[in-house]
Amino acid sequence: MELRHLRYFRAVAEELHFGRAARRLHMAQPPLSQQIRALEDELGVALLVRSTRRVELTPAGEDYLRRAVSILDSVDAAGRQAQRIADGRSGTLAIGCVGSATYSLLPKLVRALSEELPDVDVSVRGEMLAPAQIAALAAGDIDLALLRMPVDTTGLHVEAIRSDRLIVALPEDHPLAGGPPDDPVDLALLHGDDFIVHAGGGRSVMHGALAAAAGRAGFVPRIRHEVEETSTLVTLVAAGAGVALVPEPTSALWVAGVVYRPLSVADRVDLVAAFPTTRRTPLVEQVLAVLRRVGDTGLSGG
């Protein structure tokens, strides 16, 4: 017995007419009748009652039809699911994301994925520093990383998503927090402030970005707190524990007591998508296509 025999029987049983069933199957009627006879002979059961005027199902045929339909539908569904997976329209994907993009890009991305790829099970790990994401990619804990450059991308495919300008987060009672919100702050004026920054020691791109920007402004930043998460950093700024340089999308994280202001310098940090070159699957390609559409590749801040 083969699946084609079940399909032949289903057509005859649903049409209750060999001629119509043959046309539905795009075959001649005599071979169809022979195949149904062969199926009954193999089963040792009469599935159909034939007369010159009509074709009817026997009780055994009615039960066999229900089971045959279930089997055929399951086979068809398995084929469709296999095709969705092969096309990257189904499966599971874990995404890592740096803090600032967690609050700006990630919500848009997850919403778009749920609408455009509803059969993809997406899990996210937000507030991940870039080096931690690189390690998670290597370990297979995440499939796609959204991180800041520069990092060691050996063995990774890297694609630019956008470039974000740096802004400063100030406590609302800071002397430079007043005035028009679009007036830029001279970074050199913060030389006497305590800074809150993401963890150093090679664990954060933003730690290096602060050091470089402050160096160009003529001072070494006095770091008071090092944190792992952007939400903690902004909360400490709100508490008056210091000021912080952050990518502009961080301003999507509104916390009472914090004022975001532009800087007079044009320093920027790049946001990229990265994944191992050996794991460039159709699913990753599909997610990348969605990411390109929602990622505001028009460069944040100008």
Side-chain angles (χ1 to χ4, degrees), residues 3 6 64-77:
L3 282 176
L6 297 183
Y64 195 76
L65 174 61
R66 286 193 294 272
R67 296 173 185 272
V69 168
S70 177
I71 291 169
L72 290 171
D73 286 350
S74 294
V75 170
D76 291 342

Side-chain angles (χ1 to χ4, degrees), residues 28-296:
Q29 181 176 333
L32 175 60
S33 299
Q34 294 171 5
Q35 293 294 331
I36 298 300
R37 286 289 188 192
L39 175 62
E40 290 177 313
D41 290 344
E42 181 174 347
L43 295 174
V45 174
L47 300 174
L48 300 167
V49 177
R50 305 159 178 82
S51 71
T52 56
R53 294 185 176 181
R54 59 192 305 177
V55 176
E56 295 181 331
L57 286 166
T58 66
E62 291 177 353
D63 184 77
Y64 195 76
L65 174 61
R66 286 193 294 272
R67 296 173 185 272
V69 168
S70 177
I71 291 169
L72 290 171
D73 286 350
S74 294
V75 170
D76 291 342
R80 290 191 296 271
Q81 177 66 5
Q83 189 61 59
R84 284 195 295 270
I85 293 174
D87 292 342
R89 293 181 287 113
S90 184
T92 61
L93 189 89
I95 302 174
C97 192
V98 291
S100 57
T102 298
Y103 304 104
S104 58
L105 174 61
L106 197 57
K108 292 190 295 183
L109 175 61
V110 173
R111 179 182 293 274
L113 289 174
S114 68
E115 294 172 352
E116 299 184 37
L117 298 172
D119 293 330
V120 175
D121 183 10
V122 178
S123 62
V124 297
R125 292 178 59 185
E127 291 280 14
M128 290 186 73
L129 299 180
Q133 290 195 64
I134 297 297
L137 285 174
D141 295 331
I142 61 174
D143 303 294
L144 182 68
L146 298 175
L147 46 79
R148 299 286 178 190
M149 293 294 285
V151 291
D152 181 6
T153 56
T154 303
L156 299 179
H157 170 84
V158 176
E159 181 170 325
I161 301 301
R162 68 188 187 196
S163 178
D164 297 318
R165 66 181 181 183
L166 292 181
I167 62 175
V168 62
L170 303 167
E172 63 180 359
D173 59 355
H174 191 281
L176 298 176
D182 292 334
D183 278 2
V185 171
D186 185 348
L187 183 58
L189 296 178
L190 299 174
H191 71 277
D193 285 87
D194 291 328
F195 278 82
I196 305 164
V197 67
H198 287 91
R203 290 180 290 155
S204 166
V205 170
M206 285 305 302
H207 193 286
L210 169 62
R216 286 190 292 272
F219 71 98
V220 176
R222 185 172 67 238
I223 296 174
R224 181 175 179 183
H225 295 285
E226 292 189 357
V227 300
E228 297 285 338
E229 298 181 345
T230 300
S231 58
T232 303
L233 181 147
V234 174
T235 299
L236 288 175
V237 172
V243 302
L245 255 61
V246 294
E248 186 176 21
T250 304
S251 61
L253 177 58
W254 184 86
V255 176
V258 175
V259 173
Y260 297 101
R261 295 284 301 278
L263 289 170
S264 57
V265 295
D267 291 59
R268 312 182 76 91
V269 286
D270 294 332
L271 179 71
V272 303
F275 59 90
T277 54
T278 56
R279 300 207 298 270
R280 186 166 193 152
T281 64
L283 176 53
V284 169
E285 292 285 5
Q286 289 280 5
V287 172
L288 273 177
V290 176
L291 178 59
R292 294 183 192 110
R293 289 195 291 275
V294 303
D296 187 21

